[in-house]
Amino acid sequence: MRTAVVVGGSVAGLLAAQVLTRYADMVVVVERDDIGADANRAAEGNARRGVPQGTQMHALLEGGRRGIERWLPGFTDEIAAAGAAVGNSGRDVHTYLDGRRRILVGDLPMVSATRPFLEAHIRRRVLADERVRLHVGNAAGLVIGGGRVRGVRVTRGSAADEDTLDADFVVDATGRASRIGSWLADHGWPEPPLRRIPVDLGYATALLRTPPGVLDGMTLGQSITHGPDGRVRVATAGRVEGDRWIALVAGYADDRPRRDSEDFLARCRDDPAEEFGKLAANGELLGDVAVYRHPDSRRRDFHKVSRFPAGLVCVGDAVASLNPVYGQGMSSAALHAACLADHLDTRPGPNEPPLRYFKAVRRVVDAAWQTSVLDDLRLPHVDAPRPWGFALKNAIGDMVLQASVTDPKVARKFLDVMHMLEGPDSMMRPGTLVRSVRATRRRATGARPEQ
């Protein structure tokens, strides 16, 4: 290809741009924020205007870390040297379920850093490539002709100031608010079906500094608490760059956290996991509490579209935006980049629709969707149809979760699924099910765990 255009300069768009440098002479990243001028924002901890959830706590799962490392070798060492915390899942990650510590046996690395920090390091590496050019502006639509995409319409400031960027290939990485449906409809192409699960999640995040020794031995912590009425609260904390902690509290529907420090600290104190009480008692808030609302999880089923123009794909939240408490966003973006590379490795013809790509991305989305949505559908306020086998799959998932506390092989399988290294269906394999049944029986009788 001569020119590829990526619309959106967030993590998904940047990783797609990095992939495209293997196949195109030039890659143009269209982004309304002047991300090239924001090189120092990571050190200041500031999120971009185009990432409204950028102030919130983020997770980089192992599937995502490996994916980023594939396209940007040495990335983990680089961010660790700059201050990111890298812990061990079995030693440094403290997980609580209704106040009881769950000891997971595993050695997966866990990265803890702020979203602006991670994005800035990815951005610096990608934009350093002379084949990548930044174009500051807003995408206004596509140019489609002859059954394929021909370019992107871009505006600067006002609609009257419009340019057209010619392109042999276009990637939509504009996030969950993507206008891909209307852009396609403008040219007579069918819109991809959109599915929504109304989770109505709210969460609040703050940066804190704690005295030495208060939270020694922990790099990341998460606490999930179930109320008697089915209400679920989540609290998460992680050590980040600048010798700070970032902490998040979350709730659903009418239990969403408020934008004030009193409510934030009270939720930390009320959490049954002792680390969050220590954080509230000893931590110094650095700045204001930031809130964000996630009204629904959504996915666009591109694989169900009967016709689709050649030379056009979508990545990241433009494909699927899931409940963020599971931390799947950045890792999904990395896996979508791998699907893009696999698709382009087949050397598709200039007029060949990207059906193979969307088929591969569907597998990634299905796995992430099943992991998060099966739990979301348990929430009493979520009004959405339950899929076939809903009760059975949740019962098996609960059994595997309980078995992971005492059986190291089941624990590793559970971690692999949570970190997007394997799909959730892998927990349904006979070997894992047999070990899970045995582990739960031994736990009930007090027998010695199997090694």
Side-chain angles (χ1 to χ4, degrees):
M1 294 179 282
R2 294 184 301 276
T3 304
V5 174
V6 178
V7 185
S10 192
V11 171
L14 291 169
L15 293 178
Q18 182 67 17
V19 168
L20 285 165
T21 60
R22 300 172 55 188
Y23 308 94
D25 297 331
M26 176 178 290
V27 181
V28 181
V29 177
V30 177
E31 170 57 50
R32 68 180 184 181
D33 295 332
D34 189 359
I35 56 179
D38 288 345
N40 295 322
R41 293 178 70 82
E44 300 168 2
N46 295 320
R48 291 192 298 109
R49 181 172 59 91
V51 187
Q53 76 278 24
T55 56
Q56 302 297 320
M57 184 170 183
H58 283 68
L60 181 58
L61 306 178
E62 177 61 3
R65 188 197 68 82
R66 291 184 187 181
I68 295 173
E69 194 74 31
R70 173 183 176 184
W71 308 116
L72 303 173
F75 175 77
T76 307
D77 290 340
E78 174 188 315
I79 60 174
V86 181
N88 177 286
S89 61
R91 182 185 64 242
D92 308 313
V93 178
H94 295 188
T95 304
Y96 291 86
L97 187 62
D98 295 321
R100 297 184 62 184
R101 174 86 182 272
R102 295 182 58 249
I103 307 297
L104 286 176
V105 180
D107 57 358
L108 292 179
M110 291 285 291
V111 174
S112 181
T114 65
R115 167 65 180 261
F117 175 92
L118 291 171
E119 188 175 308
H121 279 271
I122 296 172
R123 179 169 64 240
R124 182 188 63 78
R125 290 280 298 271
V126 173
L127 296 184
D129 193 316
E130 61 184 11
R131 294 166 293 182
V132 180
R133 179 168 65 88
L134 175 65
H135 185 101
V136 180
N138 291 294
L142 300 172
V143 180
I144 300 177
R148 61 166 291 106
V149 69
R150 302 289 180 178
V152 178
R153 293 168 36 230
V154 180
T155 62
R156 289 176 181 266
S158 67
D161 184 13
E162 181 174 297
D163 297 324
T164 297
L165 301 178
D166 295 333
D168 303 303
F169 196 86
V170 173
V171 177
D172 174 20
T174 54
R176 62 184 274 119
S178 168
R179 290 176 288 163
I180 187 65
S182 61
W183 288 352
L184 289 169
D186 288 344
H187 295 272
W189 294 84
E191 298 185 36
L194 180 63
R195 277 192 269 174
R196 300 174 187 261
I197 302 293
V199 294
D200 196 10
L201 169 72
Y203 48 107
T205 295
L207 287 165
L208 304 96
R209 197 179 305 281
T210 63
V214 172
L215 294 173
D216 280 355
M218 186 178 89
T219 299
L220 283 163
Q222 184 177 57
S223 174
I224 301 173
T225 307
H226 298 83
D229 56 355
R231 183 181 66 183
V232 175
R233 281 189 173 185
V234 178
T236 309
R239 193 185 303 273
V240 298
E241 72 280 1
D243 193 26
R244 299 170 298 171
W245 284 87
I246 189 168
L248 173 148
V249 293
Y252 294 89
D254 58 359
D255 188 43
R256 297 190 304 271
R258 302 192 305 269
R259 190 196 301 268
D260 64 76
S261 57
E262 291 79 9
D263 181 64
F264 178 86
L265 293 174
R267 286 175 181 255
C268 288
R269 285 192 296 268
D270 292 344
D271 195 278
E274 61 178 354
E275 278 88 348
F276 293 94
K278 292 179 180 179
L279 199 61
N282 300 280
E284 172 196 358
L285 284 173
L286 304 175
D288 297 330
V289 174
V291 298
Y292 183 75
R293 186 177 181 184
H294 179 86
D296 56 49
S297 296
R298 59 180 65 175
R299 61 181 290 178
R300 293 178 173 88
D301 289 327
F302 291 95
H303 61 281
K304 294 183 178 180
V305 175
S306 58
R307 297 184 301 117
F308 201 84
L312 173 66
V313 300
C314 297
V315 297
D317 283 3
V319 179
S321 171
L322 304 174
N323 186 331
V325 301
Y326 299 94
Q328 298 167 315
M330 291 189 291
S331 297
S332 291
L335 294 173
H336 294 180
C339 293
L340 176 60
D342 291 343
H343 169 66
L344 294 176
D345 277 343
T346 67
R347 302 295 177 183
N351 296 310
E352 180 182 344
L355 302 182
R356 281 192 299 261
Y357 169 77
F358 285 123
K359 183 178 180 180
V361 163
R362 179 191 176 182
R363 290 193 291 269
V364 176
V365 174
D366 281 350
W369 186 263
Q370 182 174 330
T371 298
S372 62
V373 168
L374 281 181
D375 260 358
D376 291 340
L377 290 174
R378 298 189 193 202
L379 299 170
H381 72 279
V382 174
D383 182 16
R386 272 56 177 170
W388 182 87
F390 170 72
L392 177 61
K393 288 181 178 179
N394 273 326
I396 292 175
D398 289 343
M399 180 181 67
V400 173
L401 177 64
Q402 294 300 324
S404 69
V405 177
T406 56
D407 188 301
K409 291 186 178 180
V410 176
R412 182 53 190 259
K413 178 67 67 176
F414 178 80
L415 282 173
D416 285 347
V417 171
M418 293 299 104
H419 282 264
M420 303 185 76
L421 297 172
E422 293 191 38
D425 287 343
S426 66
M427 293 195 296
M428 306 292 180
R429 292 172 185 163
T432 301
L433 292 178
V434 169
R435 292 189 70 96
S436 298
V437 170
R438 290 174 178 172
T440 52
R441 287 177 177 174
R442 285 192 301 271
R443 190 175 185 188
T445 60
R448 185 176 180 178
E450 183 176 346
Q451 299 300 314

